[in-house]
Amino acid sequence: MSEGTRVLVASALAKIIVSPLATALGGSVIGAVGDKEVRKAIADRVRFDVVVADLTWNASDLEYRFDGFDVLDILRDHGRTAPVIFAAQGYS
């Protein structure tokens, strides 16, 4: 049986969007709010149908050292190919 659409939401605000997005898509939506969670989610899963990543990470501990381009690097480093949608939230 298919598990539906597989989505990774890589964002400081991931916990807010995971549930409504999973309900809307009827699939598996994984949220990762920090660099370690993003690395684990990508390493643990062979395939995502789409990755939604914040371009800027508005979290005080990550804002200047981790962003959406780092998510792309992690995907590449693990040999995971998936379409990536960059989101920009806030005013930074």
Side-chain angles (χ1 to χ4, degrees), residues 2-17:
S2 174
E3 62 182 279
T5 305
R6 296 161 294 200
V7 179
L8 171 62
V9 178
S11 168
L13 302 174
K15 302 266 191 243
I16 296 169
I17 193 64

Side-chain angles (χ1 to χ4, degrees), residues 40-72:
K40 181 171 177 15
I42 292 170
D44 288 353
R45 171 119 31 212
V46 174
R47 176 178 152 85
F48 287 102
D49 295 307
V50 67
V51 175
V52 179
D54 258 337
L55 190 54
T56 57
W57 219 273
N58 288 340
S60 60
D61 61 329
L62 295 172
E63 188 169 11
Y64 297 109
R65 67 176 183 87
F66 189 77
D67 62 23
F69 294 117
D70 293 310
V71 175
L72 282 178

